[in-house]
Amino acid sequence: MEKKVALKDVAQHIGVSAALVSYVLNGKEKEARVGAEMAKRIKKAAAELNYQPNLIAKSLKMGKTKTIGLIVADISNPFFSTIARIIEDEAKKHGYVVIFGSSDESADKQLDLIDVFSTRLVDAFIIAPAAGTEEQIQNIINRGVPVVLMDRFFPNLKVDCVHINNLNASGKAVKQLIKNGRKKIGMLAYDTTQSHMQDRKQGYKAALKEKNIRFKKEWLIEASYQHLEKDVADKIKPLLKPLQIDALFFATNSLAVAGLKEINKLGIKVPDDLAIISFDESDAFDFFYSPVTYVSQSLADIGKEAIKLVINRLHSKSKKNTNVIVEAKLIVRESCGSL
Amino acid sequence: MEKKVALKDVAQHIGVSAALVSYVLNGKEKEARVGAEMAKRIKKAAAELNYQPNLIAKSLKMGKTKTIGLIVADISNPFFSTIARIIEDEAKKHGYVVIFGSSDESADKQLDLIDVFSTRLVDAFIIAPAAGTEEQIQNIINRGVPVVLMDRFFPNLKVDCVHINNLNASGKAVKQLIKNGRKKIGMLAYDTTQSHMQDRKQGYKAALKEKNIRFKKEWLIEASYQHLEKDVADKIKPLLKPLQIDALFFATNSLAVAGLKEINKLGIKVPDDLAIISFDESDAFDFFYSPVTYVSQSLADIGKEAIKLVINRLHSKSKKNTNVIVEAKLIVRESCGSL
DNA sequence: ATGAAAGCGCTAACAC
DNA sequence: GTGTTAGCGCTTTCAT
């Protein structure tokens, strides 16, 4: 177990000051006007001694950790892990590393994570915020730490965010169902105040209205994030047995996976008995006997834009906050009854 | 943007030394014999000033960051993100935070990640190592930093690791196919030297041999991780058109998802024409028209055991290394032709 | 029972 | 061109 070699070790090794070594190893030889000969010697010595800088010390000195704190609902959810991967790659390009945490859509857990990450001086946060946490976000901002919200946001919070236009996307999906002749369209959503969910429900209702279909409140069923399976099973049955609707729109892929299992159990045929559209992708959608139509949001874009916003914040102290809307498109396949 | 309050600020606030505050806030009032009265005042002041310790400074002083570096092939792969979530939760229980990176099964990328994480002084690594990286792992060990390998390992490396018995699990799957009357059993695996893959192939061959079926080398096809889709498409067709086998065993869920798409394209009926078993789970398996039989490894156990090993290493300086084998069981469903 | 001070490894302003 | 020095925020030994 060889002992760590520090900056001063390489300095001593060739009898110069630590300052010089620091300059050279940080590519500041020009500004510091270090001799070319010297620079070469220093680099050589650093390599020979296998010097590895101590980023913790550097962070303490600089007040910057080159670390981004990522908070999502659940990193094991492919929606978030896919975004996480993009964020990891994009962050790396800028020399940042990411530490992550899962809030389980709980405001308390999210607060814990924010505290833990703050304590470790992350340079910025990227958060898919849990419901009712605008104050937490505002506090981060007040501390002067950049935050970017993704997937969900808070309308009256001045903060950078990136998301799709859920109202439109949802409307587009519902209108597709209507275009395919469906008139009794149900929706399975999450029971939360978060913007993305509100907008999706809103888009659903607006589309019905636009097409002169009167919304029935039994059509909209809601599950809690914490008891997904049970809630879906309990609430979907009254709607399907007997069949009160001719189409069902799922607000997320997790809802769709749970819902389709129930639909299978009940022996309902898609799309003949029931047309289906979901939000987001899933391997399951490709293998369902009637390939599932879905609203595709580019997770790559979300991740990239999130980092772009973070980096901008970090590099310029502009006050204005930006709101990036990424594209969403409807991938039409058999399940919605078009074919 | 209120300025950060430091230890000495709360010390000054009540006119005591920083040392006292440090003792109290770290629960060392007993050892340091701080007066009960004083302790109370200090805690009150810290709360009033909303003091948040600076973990970076603490880390520098202590030489410990309470951070674990997690390196997997790809965090967006549900196999790894599920494990990551468990690791996150278990690590948190011990006061650790995790930073993650994806190697894409590339030794170079893995080395980069190890360097970056080392530089940030992670206290330990949990790695699903890329092929041919025993030297990288050995180097970490030589530096005295705890490492736990998971999913794959290196037989002649003295290091803690956690994984299933791939040889057995693979054999069990293949024998199930044989029991169901299949005699020409193919396998789709990754083309890599990693232990898990070698063992799975080995288990497949051993099972054939044990049941007196002569292995034909055309039956074993291999795809590269980097060109999964293309390789699977290219190599699976000769085996299936015309049909040379009556069963196909997939070495991972990603291979299965890619393979089943080809099987669908070719119009082959599962399990009548071709029985199927895969490793690991997938939402897709539940929705395939013939629910897919699979080898289930407990990702929760893998994650928990990994952290347990890490924590043990961190707390005791025992030399012995442990090898944890977690359970794997075959979940038999329609696709393997049993029902 | 409390305070003073050194020092973790690094950077950068300043001196020469 | 290069060296000296102070200090980032914290812990801990030692003195009192």
Side-chain angles (χ1 to χ4, degrees):
Chain A
M1 173 159 24
E2 320 96 35
K3 138 157 149 294
K4 273 248 148 208
V5 3
L7 197 58
K8 72 160 181 292
D9 295 325
V10 5
Q12 279 170 2
H13 188 69
I14 44 180
V16 298
S17 76
L20 270 206
V21 180
S22 174
Y23 288 132
V24 171
L25 265 30
N26 286 297
K28 302 214 172 133
E29 12 184 324
K30 297 292 170 216
E31 296 99 300
R33 291 172 306 178
V34 181
E37 193 55 37
M38 183 81 282
K40 209 171 290 175
R41 275 179 63 206
I42 289 175
K43 285 177 189 162
K44 182 149 156 287
E48 271 173 8
L49 297 184
N50 189 27
Y51 167 68
Q52 304 289 142
N54 179 327
L55 258 283
I56 297 298
K58 180 167 187 163
S59 293
L60 178 58
K61 178 66 185 171
M62 311 281 273
K64 254 95 200 58
T65 55
K66 292 294 232 171
T67 303
I68 292 170
L70 172 67
I71 301 178
V72 297
D74 183 359
I75 193 69
S76 74
N77 179 330
F79 178 84
F80 292 116
S81 65
T82 301
I83 293 180
R85 176 53 142 97
I86 305 292
I87 288 179
E88 175 201 337
D89 289 344
E90 297 298 312
K92 176 151 58 185
K93 288 182 193 164
H94 298 273
Y96 286 82
V97 142
V98 6
I99 70 184
F100 72 91
S102 305
S103 72
D104 288 324
E105 302 287 14
S106 145
D108 286 349
K109 285 194 193 178
Q110 182 179 306
L111 183 56
D112 274 354
L113 288 168
I114 291 175
D115 284 348
V116 169
F117 290 178
S118 295
T119 251
R120 304 175 100 99
L121 303 195
V122 296
D123 292 341
F125 285 91
I126 298 178
I127 306 181
T133 60
E134 40 260 279
E135 211 172 313
Q136 296 179 19
I137 306 298
Q138 184 62 60
N139 284 338
I140 302 177
I141 298 172
N142 292 346
R143 279 184 248 125
V145 177
V147 200
V148 172
L149 302 186
M150 60 179 189
D151 195 36
R152 319 75 184 276
F153 64 100
F154 299 106
N156 31 29
L157 210 59
K158 296 227 175 312
V159 55
D160 291 343
C161 51
V162 39
H163 50 85
I164 64 170
N165 185 325
N166 282 290
L167 202 81
N168 281 357
S170 185
K172 217 189 290 182
V174 172
K175 283 180 214 159
Q176 176 73 33
L177 291 167
I178 296 170
K179 188 179 123 203
N180 294 351
R182 310 293 166 149
K183 302 196 146 49
K184 298 178 293 179
I185 300 173
M187 177 171 189
L188 173 56
Y190 277 119
D191 174 19
T192 171
T193 58
Q194 291 163 117
S195 64
H196 67 315
M197 209 43 68
Q198 292 299 332
D199 286 351
R200 286 173 198 186
K201 293 181 219 176
Q202 209 47 52
Y204 155 76
K205 289 181 187 172
L208 291 182
K209 184 161 208 170
E210 182 183 328
K211 297 297 182 184
N212 296 311
I213 296 180
R214 216 176 114 214
F215 165 68
K216 293 194 175 168
K217 72 175 190 311
E218 318 87 80
W219 287 354
L220 176 59
I221 57 182
E222 301 187 308
S224 80
Y225 182 85
Q226 281 72 18
H227 314 102
L228 171 58
E229 312 270 328
K230 184 181 178 338
D231 281 5
V232 169
D234 289 353
K235 308 225 174 147
I236 212 175
K237 196 168 303 178
L239 206 55
L240 299 184
K241 205 76 184 198
L243 202 56
Q244 324 254 355
I245 51 178
D246 54 17
L248 184 51
F249 176 40
F250 294 108
T252 76
N253 51 4
S254 45
L255 289 165
V257 166
L260 289 174
K261 284 183 183 169
E262 294 303 316
I263 286 171
N264 273 347
K265 275 190 208 155
L266 295 170
I268 291 166
K269 286 308 276 178
V270 174
D272 296 346
D273 299 341
L274 189 68
I276 296 290
I277 295 187
S278 175
F279 249 88
D280 305 328
E281 327 201 11
S282 166
D283 275 339
F285 294 170
D286 296 339
F287 286 104
F288 191 65
Y289 62 86
S290 178
V292 175
T293 297
Y294 60 92
V295 176
S296 162
Q297 31 181 338
S298 168
L299 306 186
D301 285 352
I302 293 180
K304 283 181 193 164
E305 293 295 341
I307 289 288
K308 209 185 281 180
L309 290 177
V310 161
I311 300 293
N312 277 348
R313 271 290 151 185
L314 250 18
H315 289 186
S316 76
K317 280 294 155 215
S318 100
K319 279 306 227 179
K320 283 192 61 65
N321 54 283
T322 32
N323 202 319
V324 175
I325 308 293
V326 318
E327 276 309 304
K329 50 178 191 282
L330 189 66
I331 307 295
V332 176
R333 303 197 294 183
E334 195 189 298
S335 78
C336 68
S338 286
L339 313 175
Chain B
M1 171 155 31
E2 320 97 32
K3 142 156 147 293
K4 273 250 148 206
V5 4
L7 197 57
K8 71 159 182 290
D9 295 325
V10 4
Q12 279 169 2
H13 187 69
I14 45 181
V16 298
S17 75
L20 271 205
V21 180
S22 174
Y23 288 133
V24 171
L25 266 30
N26 286 297
K28 302 216 172 127
E29 10 184 327
K30 296 296 169 214
E31 296 99 299
R33 290 171 306 181
V34 181
E37 194 53 39
M38 182 80 284
K40 208 170 289 174
R41 275 181 61 207
I42 289 175
K43 284 177 189 161
K44 181 149 156 288
E48 272 172 8
L49 297 185
N50 189 27
Y51 167 67
Q52 303 289 142
N54 179 326
L55 257 285
I56 297 297
K58 180 167 189 165
S59 293
L60 178 60
K61 179 67 186 172
M62 313 281 273
K64 253 96 201 59
T65 54
K66 293 293 232 170
T67 303
I68 292 170
L70 172 66
I71 302 178
V72 296
D74 183 359
I75 194 68
S76 74
N77 178 331
F79 178 84
F80 292 116
S81 66
T82 302
I83 294 180
R85 175 53 140 97
I86 305 291
I87 289 179
E88 175 201 338
D89 289 345
E90 296 298 313
K92 176 151 57 184
K93 289 182 192 164
H94 298 273
Y96 286 81
V97 142
V98 6
I99 70 185
F100 72 90
S102 305
S103 71
D104 288 324
E105 302 288 13
S106 145
D108 286 349
K109 285 194 192 177
Q110 181 178 307
L111 183 55
D112 274 355
L113 288 168
I114 291 175
D115 283 348
V116 170
F117 290 179
S118 295
T119 251
R120 306 175 99 99
L121 302 195
V122 295
D123 292 341
F125 285 92
I126 298 178
I127 305 181
T133 59
E134 40 260 280
E135 212 172 312
Q136 296 178 20
I137 306 297
Q138 184 63 59
N139 283 338
I140 301 177
I141 298 172
N142 292 347
R143 277 184 249 126
V145 177
V147 199
V148 172
L149 302 186
M150 61 179 190
D151 194 38
R152 322 67 185 280
F153 65 102
F154 300 106
N156 31 30
L157 210 59
K158 296 228 176 311
V159 55
D160 291 344
C161 51
V162 40
H163 50 87
I164 64 170
N165 185 325
N166 282 289
L167 202 81
N168 282 356
S170 185
K172 217 188 291 183
V174 172
K175 283 180 215 161
Q176 175 74 31
L177 291 167
I178 296 172
K179 189 178 123 202
N180 293 353
R182 310 293 166 149
K183 301 197 146 47
K184 297 178 293 179
I185 301 173
M187 176 171 190
L188 173 56
Y190 277 120
D191 174 19
T192 169
T193 58
Q194 290 164 116
S195 64
H196 67 316
M197 210 41 70
Q198 292 300 330
D199 286 352
R200 287 174 197 185
K201 294 182 219 174
Q202 209 47 53
Y204 155 76
K205 290 183 187 172
L208 292 182
K209 184 161 208 172
E210 183 184 327
K211 297 297 181 184
N212 296 311
I213 295 178
R214 221 180 107 210
F215 165 67
K216 291 194 176 168
K217 72 177 192 310
E218 318 88 79
W219 287 353
L220 176 58
I221 56 183
E222 302 188 306
S224 80
Y225 182 85
Q226 281 70 19
H227 314 100
L228 171 59
E229 312 270 327
K230 182 180 178 340
D231 281 5
V232 169
D234 288 354
K235 307 226 174 144
I236 212 174
K237 197 169 299 177
L239 206 54
L240 299 184
K241 207 74 183 198
L243 202 56
Q244 323 254 355
I245 52 178
D246 54 18
L248 184 51
F249 177 40
F250 294 107
T252 75
N253 52 4
S254 45
L255 289 164
V257 166
L260 288 173
K261 284 183 183 167
E262 294 302 316
I263 286 170
N264 273 347
K265 275 190 209 155
L266 296 171
I268 291 166
K269 285 308 274 177
V270 174
D272 296 346
D273 299 342
L274 189 69
I276 295 290
I277 296 186
S278 175
F279 249 88
D280 306 329
E281 327 199 12
S282 166
D283 275 339
F285 294 170
D286 297 339
F287 286 104
F288 191 65
Y289 61 86
S290 178
V292 176
T293 297
Y294 60 92
V295 176
S296 160
Q297 31 181 336
S298 168
L299 305 187
D301 285 352
I302 293 179
K304 283 180 192 163
E305 294 294 340
I307 289 288
K308 209 184 281 180
L309 290 177
V310 161
I311 300 293
N312 277 347
R313 270 292 150 182
L314 250 18
H315 290 184
S316 76
K317 278 295 153 215
S318 101
K319 278 308 227 178
K320 282 192 64 65
N321 55 282
T322 34
N323 202 320
V324 175
I325 309 292
V326 318
E327 276 309 304
K329 50 178 191 280
L330 189 66
I331 307 295
V332 176
R333 303 197 292 184
E334 195 188 298
S335 78
C336 68
S338 288
L339 315 172

